[in-house]
Amino acid sequence: MRNLIILSACCFAIATADAKDPPAAAPAPAPAAASGVASSKPATAAPVKPAPRPLTAAEQRIIDEQAELDLQARIAARIAEMRNSQQQRAAAAARARKAAASKKKVEVAVAKPPPPANGTHWAYDGEFGPANWSKINAKWSQCGTGGRQSPIDIRDGMKVELEQLAFDYKPSSFSVVDNGHTIQVNLAGGNFLTVQNRSYELQQFHFHRPSEERINGKSFEMVVHLVHRDAEGKLAVLAVLLERGAAHNMIQTVWNNLPLEKHDTVQPSVVLDVSELLPERRDYFTYMGSLTTPPCTEGVLWMVMKQPIQASPPQMALFSRLYPFNARPVQANSGRVVKESN
């Protein structure tokens, strides 16, 4: 009976609570007592979390402004990162281009050497003078490197029994040309010089002032070079020295037919007897040398007559007006064999 009364009271209390409060989730049942009788302590409901308070307009604006600042900072950082990356790529590309250009220059320098010089203009002084002949044209290299160059200062010649020079000169037609370096006389065929069992045909003769050759250090006012060639193309040059004295008839014939302009040619109707250029005595010096003008070809047999011939001062002055100086300096004579007639 007592238990029934307690159960009725509990039911009344629960009904009263339900009438006052809104419905809620039923609490978990209390554990039964060990004796199987329900506990008389009422159950406690779980606390309800209050709803968040709505933000004011000012608070929302602050939040939006901060979000915008954060976004701008992230954008600026990204742009800076992109620019730095772009600059690094550009610098790397520039280094690569520079390295490629340097490599190309080296390859070009190795693969394509500078073209050889092929100039044609030369002179007796200045930048086109003898010191630079070998640089003006690659084919003139012997002018600077050859070991048997002419002219030379003839000293200490070995006196020996040289064979006599055999001349077969006769009156010939000729032409006179002012070639820009000297007055040159070109001969028709049929004039020969025989020496050392070889026959050389006279091609042309020309003048230098002063003489290119020296004899024991002595220079002469002028010299005439008679250039000969044999059937094999070998050259032999006969040098006849000129000194002041009586007028020379054959030289005057040449002067009478001088061209009026440089590089012009005159072909006279008269003939020329070249034997008039030979001195009375036929003693001579001989050595192996070269042409005294470009291309300075070596292997040329030289014969320098010991006795000069004469030309008058006016005849020499006339040439001097055209070419005051057209002589190559003497070359080194070390180790050169020079022979002279007894």
Side-chain angles (χ1 to χ4, degrees):
M1 183 68 181
R2 181 182 178 183
N3 291 339
L4 181 61
I5 294 173
I6 292 172
L7 181 61
S8 297
C10 288
C11 291
F12 177 78
I14 292 171
T16 303
D18 289 342
K20 293 180 179 181
D21 299 326
S35 59
V37 181
S39 173
S40 60
K41 186 177 180 178
T44 304
V48 179
K49 185 176 182 179
R53 178 179 60 81
L55 298 175
T56 65
E59 291 173 337
Q60 186 63 46
R61 186 170 61 255
I62 292 172
I63 292 174
D64 292 343
E65 290 176 352
Q66 185 61 43
E68 184 176 355
L69 291 174
D70 292 343
L71 178 61
Q72 291 178 355
R74 289 195 299 272
I75 292 173
R78 179 57 180 164
I79 291 174
E81 181 181 354
M82 292 173 63
R83 286 178 177 175
N84 183 55
S85 177
Q86 184 179 16
Q87 290 174 353
Q88 290 179 352
R89 290 196 300 272
R95 289 193 298 269
R97 287 194 299 270
K98 185 176 181 180
S102 299
K103 182 179 179 181
K104 185 176 181 180
K105 287 181 179 179
V106 172
E107 291 175 350
V108 169
V110 173
K112 295 182 179 180
N118 58 357
T120 57
H121 177 67
W122 57 272
Y124 283 100
D125 56 9
E127 62 176 318
F128 296 102
N132 294 316
W133 287 351
S134 60
K135 302 174 185 176
I136 295 173
N137 192 311
K139 296 180 180 179
W140 303 347
S141 61
Q142 284 190 311
C143 296
T145 61
R148 292 291 182 268
Q149 289 293 295
S150 298
I152 63 173
D153 184 358
I154 300 173
R155 295 174 180 268
D156 303 323
M158 296 185 296
K159 292 187 177 183
V160 295
E161 292 293 335
L162 290 177
E163 65 177 297
Q164 291 187 351
L165 302 177
F167 296 97
D168 184 14
Y169 291 168
K170 53 192 175 185
S172 306
S173 59
F174 67 102
S175 62
V176 182
V177 58
D178 184 340
N179 62 19
H181 301 291
T182 187
I183 300 300
Q184 178 173 307
V185 179
N186 299 317
L187 278 301
N191 296 282
F192 293 92
L193 163 65
T194 301
V195 61
Q196 298 179 2
N197 295 320
R198 300 182 74 93
S199 183
Y200 298 85
E201 186 174 20
L202 179 61
Q203 306 294 307
Q204 51 96 348
F205 64 85
H206 57 270
F207 300 86
H208 293 278
R209 181 179 186 276
S211 68
E212 294 189 305
E213 295 77 13
R214 294 181 186 176
I215 309 278
N216 293 319
K218 180 183 177 181
S219 178
F220 291 78
E221 187 150 353
M222 290 182 65
V223 67
V224 55
H225 287 166
L226 294 90
V227 182
H228 304 72
R229 185 188 303 273
D230 72 359
E232 297 178 0
K234 294 183 180 297
L235 297 176
V237 179
L238 181 75
V240 180
L241 302 165
L242 297 180
E243 63 182 6
R244 288 176 178 262
H248 195 286
N249 291 333
M250 199 220 70
I251 292 177
Q252 188 61 46
T253 302
V254 175
W255 283 186
N256 291 343
N257 294 280
L258 288 176
L260 297 178
E261 296 287 345
K262 290 187 183 300
H263 307 293
D264 280 355
T265 301
V266 174
Q267 293 181 324
S269 59
V270 297
V271 295
L272 205 64
D273 189 354
V274 187
S275 63
E276 295 180 19
L277 286 175
L278 301 175
E280 293 182 5
R281 296 199 334 262
R282 304 295 170 84
D283 298 338
Y284 64 98
F285 300 92
T286 186
Y287 68 95
M288 293 301 298
S290 73
L291 296 178
T292 64
T293 59
C296 306
T297 306
E298 294 189 345
V300 176
L301 175 64
W302 275 86
M303 293 149 289
V304 180
M305 304 303 290
K306 286 186 174 183
Q307 182 183 18
I309 64 172
Q310 293 183 349
S312 67
Q315 288 176 328
M316 291 186 173
L318 189 151
F319 183 83
S320 178
R321 288 171 56 188
L322 299 174
Y323 294 100
F325 179 86
N326 67 338
R328 184 186 184 188
V330 296
Q331 308 302 303
N333 191 23
S334 59
R336 193 87 56 111
V337 175
V338 178
K339 296 181 180 180
E340 63 173 300
S341 303
N342 280 326

